Amino acid sequence: MALDAALNIFRAIGEETRLRIMVLLIRGELTVSEITTILGQSQPRVSRHLKILADAGLAERHREGAWMFYRAAPAGGDPSCEAVIEAARAIGRLGDRLLARDAERFEQTRHARAAQAAAYFEANAGEWSRLRALHLPEQDIEARILAQAADAPMPLFVDLGTGAGRMLEIFADRYENAVGYDLSHEMLALARANLDRVGVTHAQVRHGDLLSLPLEDNCADAACLHQVLHYLGEPGAAVAEAARILKKGGLLIISDFAPHDLEFLREEHAHRRLGFSDAEVADWCAASGLTLDKVETLSPSPGDTERLTVKIWRCLAT
């Protein structure tokens, strides 16, 4: 049976389109529609190839509402799958013209995602507080976030995806220096105004991609990803980037929604992901050299169907 299973895996990858898809999934998580756009093939054809890859254990699929996400199977699974994935990774670096074109289109897709999110933030900068009303009162969540970081020294605090700069405000008496990064110039303008308003002078905000921060490895004592991950096509990459900049023993606070089914947030407010499970965050932490130290769940009152459950994950750099 082991030999049969291995042969099934090799058959799954032994076709041009499936190999191209596998190389793409190694680069990052994609939806079916994104893959069809990159490859220039029909959705039924792409879906059939994805099913073969998933059935063989080479790809993982995850449904959220009306969208299906695919990614390469993580390390630590079937040895034959790992061998095939590593081979596909190596093939992707060979410089083949067709695969190079796929890679360019993948980058275009990723930039389109970022542009969509940035455009949304710019269009809704003045409505930030109104959108936050979707969950429990902000002060309750902020109090629990601060409690999670009560014992953490913070010579340097970094806020990834700072938005209106609220995390820089509430942590102001905890850190010596802080910097917040965001891609939206309009949100940065709002953050600067908010910091000026409350008299925070030891924090700065900078234009920057939270997936590629202009910071050295192991430079920060604490970092935060507050209500950011659900906008990202690759939330795990943001966790990895936060882990990269943290010193050993450094603290990462992640706050976001628990899984939900409010599809209108995706359609009207550019939410790419509809919340995250504890297991998913734990996987990102393990892959990034972090330890998920504590999880806190802030649920609305029973019967309150208008608000979402918020999760706070406390992670430590090892």
Side-chain angles (χ1 to χ4, degrees):
M1 292 299 293
L3 181 58
D4 288 343
L7 287 172
N8 184 53
I9 292 168
F10 282 100
R11 291 190 192 100
I13 202 67
E15 195 275 342
E16 180 181 291
T17 298
R18 289 198 290 275
L19 178 57
R20 292 171 65 191
I21 291 174
M22 200 68 238
V23 172
L24 287 171
L25 296 182
I26 290 169
R27 294 181 181 277
E29 189 176 69
L30 293 164
T31 65
V32 177
S33 63
E34 288 171 337
I35 297 171
T36 61
T37 299
I38 292 170
L39 298 182
Q41 298 186 14
S42 69
Q43 184 164 325
R45 177 181 173 85
V46 168
S47 295
R48 179 172 62 83
H49 286 308
L50 285 167
K51 183 179 187 303
I52 293 172
L53 292 172
D55 289 347
L58 291 168
E60 288 188 344
R61 50 194 166 196
H62 173 69
R63 179 176 292 280
E64 282 191 1
W67 287 14
M68 182 73 80
F69 294 84
Y70 285 85
R71 63 179 180 180
D78 184 280
S80 296
C81 285
E82 289 195 19
V84 168
I85 290 172
E86 284 306 309
R89 193 189 308 275
I91 291 170
R93 295 193 292 262
L94 291 179
D96 177 83
R97 186 177 303 176
L98 184 60
L99 294 179
R101 188 180 67 180
D102 290 346
E104 290 176 2
R105 291 178 176 174
F106 175 89
E107 289 303 318
Q108 291 169 1
T109 297
R110 191 169 73 165
H111 291 323
R113 295 175 190 165
Q116 181 184 20
Y120 164 76
F121 281 127
E122 290 178 5
N124 293 276
E127 301 180 20
W128 195 250
S129 297
R130 180 181 64 82
L131 293 173
R132 287 290 175 86
L134 288 168
H135 48 67
L136 293 176
E138 196 74 24
Q139 61 268 25
D140 295 344
I141 297 171
E142 291 173 356
R144 299 314 308 157
I145 289 174
L146 288 171
Q148 293 278 19
D151 57 348
M154 295 187 185
L156 176 60
F157 172 73
V158 180
D159 187 18
L160 289 79
T162 195
R166 182 57 183 165
M167 291 298 103
L168 297 175
E169 288 186 44
I170 70 168
F171 277 99
D173 63 349
R174 306 286 185 93
Y175 56 72
E176 296 177 22
N177 292 286
V179 57
Y181 290 95
D182 206 285
L183 278 174
S184 168
H185 291 287
E186 191 163 344
M187 291 303 291
L188 290 172
L190 181 60
R192 291 187 179 98
N194 288 337
L195 293 174
D196 288 344
R197 175 178 52 79
V198 296
V200 175
T201 60
H202 55 309
Q204 56 183 316
V205 293
R206 293 288 182 265
H207 184 260
D209 185 352
L210 62 84
L211 298 179
S212 182
L213 297 173
L215 296 173
E216 296 180 356
D217 296 354
N218 312 313
C219 67
D221 304 276
C224 184
L225 283 161
H226 177 57
Q227 293 294 337
V228 171
L229 294 185
H230 57 252
Y231 291 106
L232 304 180
E234 300 175 54
V239 175
E241 181 66 357
R244 180 187 68 79
I245 66 170
L246 283 175
K247 298 176 181 177
K248 185 176 181 180
L251 171 70
L252 172 63
I253 295 291
I254 303 172
S255 61
D256 218 294
F257 296 126
H260 63 86
D261 59 1
L262 298 186
E263 192 75 30
F264 81 91
L265 289 176
R266 176 179 285 154
E267 297 169 353
E268 299 177 17
H269 298 294
H271 287 209
R272 181 169 176 85
R273 300 293 301 273
L274 300 182
F276 306 97
S277 67
D278 295 341
E280 193 169 19
V281 174
D283 285 345
W284 294 332
C285 288
S288 305
L290 300 171
T291 298
L292 181 54
D293 180 59
K294 186 176 180 181
V295 179
E296 189 163 0
T297 303
L298 304 178
S299 301
S301 302
D304 186 351
T305 59
E306 303 262 328
R307 291 180 176 174
L308 300 173
T309 294
V310 171
K311 306 283 289 194
I312 302 172
W313 296 278
R314 173 187 164 99
C315 317
L316 300 176
T318 55

